Amino acid sequence: MVRTPLTPEERERGERLGRLLRAARGERSMVEVAAAAGLSAETLRKIETGRAPTPAFFTVAALAGVLDLSLDDLLVRTALLPV
């Protein structure tokens, strides 16, 4: 299956999500948060750095739960904006 390239707006949204998650993680280690969410630290690293700009919903939901973030708030704060 060929994946459609992401638009600049979609890439920016992924980077925004990564920044929000990184800020919410605060001083907690990447390994601790990833393990609590059932992810690898590498997956979390990719999301936080924008290298994985379109993580699966359940991945985002698991991270939001561990980081005590509202999915509604994440949706609003990562809405597609023109770049």
Side-chain angles (χ1 to χ4, degrees), residues 43-58:
T43 296
L44 180 54
R45 180 178 291 108
K46 286 178 181 178
I47 295 168
E48 285 187 356
T49 61
R51 287 183 20 233
T54 58
F57 171 78
F58 292 106

Side-chain angles (χ1 to χ4, degrees), residues 29-70:
S29 78
M30 192 176 284
V31 172
E32 173 191 347
V33 171
L39 308 171
S40 71
E42 182 59 23
T43 296
L44 180 54
R45 180 178 291 108
K46 286 178 181 178
I47 295 168
E48 285 187 356
T49 61
R51 287 183 20 233
T54 58
F57 171 78
F58 292 106
T59 300
V60 175
L63 287 167
V66 169
L67 297 171
D68 198 29
L69 295 170
S70 159

Side-chain angles (χ1 to χ4, degrees), residues 62-83:
L63 287 167
V66 169
L67 297 171
D68 198 29
L69 295 170
S70 159
L71 286 175
D72 290 334
D73 185 47
L74 282 178
L75 175 66
V76 169
R77 294 174 68 186
T78 60
L80 278 178
L81 301 172
V83 173

Side-chain angles (χ1 to χ4, degrees), residues 14-34:
E15 290 169 5
R16 231 176 309 129
L17 173 63
R19 288 190 300 269
L20 289 168
L21 294 174
R22 173 62 189 100
R25 184 166 58 85
E27 296 298 317
R28 293 165 61 181
S29 78
M30 192 176 284
V31 172
E32 173 191 347
V33 171

